[in-house]
Amino acid sequence: METDLAQYNKLVSKMFKWPEKKSDWAKYRLSEEQVKFFQKEGYLSNIKLLEEDQVEQLREELHTVMDPKSPNHDLLYEFHSNESEDPNRVIFHSLGHWRMTPGFHDVLWNPAYVMAAYQLLGNKSVRFWHDQLFCKPAKHGGVVAWHQDYSYWTRSVPMQHLTTWVGLDDASVENGCLQYVPKSHKWGLLDKPSLTGEMKGLIQFLTDEQAKELEKPVPVEMKKGYGAFHHPLLVHGSFENNSERPRRAFVINVFADGTISNTDDVLLVGVPPINKGNKMEGKFFPMLFEGI
């Protein structure tokens, strides 16, 4: 019988080494300037999180996740071989792969990642929410429409979440890199559009001034293995991939410890519900880092 890796609240492979001493964490800390930039603009990009060999391991494991015949595939919360609403485009999207393979499990406990997340959450303990994969094939990759992450996450409160996007390929404007609307995290909570539908579906919920800002986003071009962090209200999205190269990426979503369920319904498919008002914790929402 295959193992559900959700039962392990720690590293299960040798992909990363957990620091043994407090002083060992210093090399992973973001600078004060980086934290201030995040607070002002709503994002922080080009943070190196993976080495070349680690990227290659995850690329290999990606084949397992994308194959619906792989063992333990039923552990995924969602699986969409193509979630694009455009019949001429493709975007692969899944949630829950941390439970399937050791690499995608262990990236949650990557020391460089958890330290940055801890700092950007205001030095609060980091607890796992869920993961995602967004993969755009060459030549006909689909869009991820402009949106705010928290507009899909109001089933958890208070809003003290953080999203991290990490490329498994070099990401550029040509192959559909992530794009941010700076300072849009100060617009407040907006209604949510269809995630893989019309790129500008969000515009119906914006003021004229906000709509103008949507026309001048910042492309987040990064080398593979680098990551970008953003606020749960920051408006972001990505355009088509018409290039000759794929654009594969994984996303880690976390929240500060103490976040509670805002619903009696299931929070993730296949995960036992947490009654409204109760703390989100346990093996499906493990503690990743409590600070030093």
Side-chain angles (χ1 to χ4, degrees), residues 2-259:
E2 298 295 326
T3 300
D4 178 0
L5 297 179
Q7 66 182 295
Y8 299 106
N9 187 357
K10 60 181 180 180
L11 294 170
V12 299
S13 73
K14 296 181 180 180
M15 190 172 184
F16 303 99
K17 182 179 180 181
W18 195 259
E20 297 179 359
K21 305 188 298 292
K22 183 176 180 179
S23 59
D24 293 339
W25 286 99
K27 63 183 177 182
Y28 299 117
R29 291 189 64 86
L30 299 174
S31 68
E32 184 177 340
E33 290 73 23
Q34 287 174 313
V35 174
K36 287 182 177 178
F37 182 91
F38 175 85
Q39 294 168 343
K40 179 183 177 183
E41 302 293 333
Y43 72 93
L44 181 66
S45 63
N46 274 286
I47 304 300
K48 186 173 183 180
L49 297 175
L50 299 173
E51 300 296 338
E52 181 80 24
D53 62 323
Q54 295 166 336
V55 170
E56 288 304 315
Q57 179 177 335
L58 294 175
R59 282 177 167 183
E60 285 299 315
E61 292 185 6
L62 182 59
H63 295 301
T64 298
V65 177
M66 296 181 75
D67 182 357
K69 296 180 181 179
S70 294
N72 269 10
H73 210 263
D74 58 342
L75 295 176
L76 294 175
Y77 308 139
E78 293 185 30
F79 179 80
H80 308 276
S81 58
N82 184 14
E83 197 173 357
S84 176
E85 295 181 20
D86 182 342
N88 298 312
R89 296 286 172 173
V90 172
I91 185 160
F92 173 86
H93 182 211
S94 69
L95 284 76
H97 41 279
W98 74 289
R99 300 173 65 183
M100 287 183 64
T101 69
F104 280 118
H105 175 277
D106 281 5
V107 292
L108 307 184
W109 282 273
N110 173 359
Y113 166 68
V114 297
M115 173 54 79
Y118 171 76
Q119 291 179 267
L120 297 178
L121 283 172
N123 297 324
K124 295 178 181 178
S125 297
V126 182
R127 194 173 282 276
F128 180 56
W129 178 204
H130 65 76
D131 55 7
Q132 294 172 281
L133 281 165
F134 286 101
C135 301
K136 302 182 182 188
K139 300 181 181 180
H140 59 284
V143 306
V144 177
W146 296 118
H147 67 284
Q148 297 172 312
D149 290 340
Y150 190 68
S151 65
Y152 300 91
W153 296 344
T154 53
R155 61 192 186 275
S156 54
V157 293
M159 185 187 69
Q160 48 184 4
H161 301 57
L162 178 71
T163 300
T164 309
W165 187 103
V166 186
L168 296 178
D169 296 294
D170 293 350
S172 65
V173 171
E174 289 71 28
N175 72 347
C177 70
L178 190 64
Q179 303 215 20
Y180 289 141
V181 180
K183 300 183 176 67
S184 58
H185 62 305
K186 299 177 182 178
W187 292 357
L189 181 63
L190 305 168
D191 288 334
K192 59 180 183 288
S194 173
L195 190 62
T196 55
E198 172 58 38
M199 186 69 194
K200 293 186 178 180
L202 184 69
I203 204 166
Q204 62 187 303
F205 308 125
L206 303 180
T207 65
D208 290 343
E209 184 177 345
Q210 290 168 342
K212 290 180 182 177
E213 293 300 311
L214 201 64
E215 297 298 323
K216 46 184 178 181
V218 173
V220 183
E221 296 188 304
M222 297 187 292
K223 294 292 185 180
K224 61 185 177 183
Y226 283 72
F229 298 80
H230 63 259
H231 188 281
L233 291 184
L234 190 78
V235 174
H236 63 287
S238 59
F239 291 89
E240 299 94 342
N241 179 10
N242 294 317
S243 77
E244 299 292 328
R245 300 181 293 110
R247 199 232 65 183
R248 297 164 289 184
F250 68 90
V251 174
I252 304 175
N253 304 300
V254 295
F255 48 70
D257 187 37
T259 301

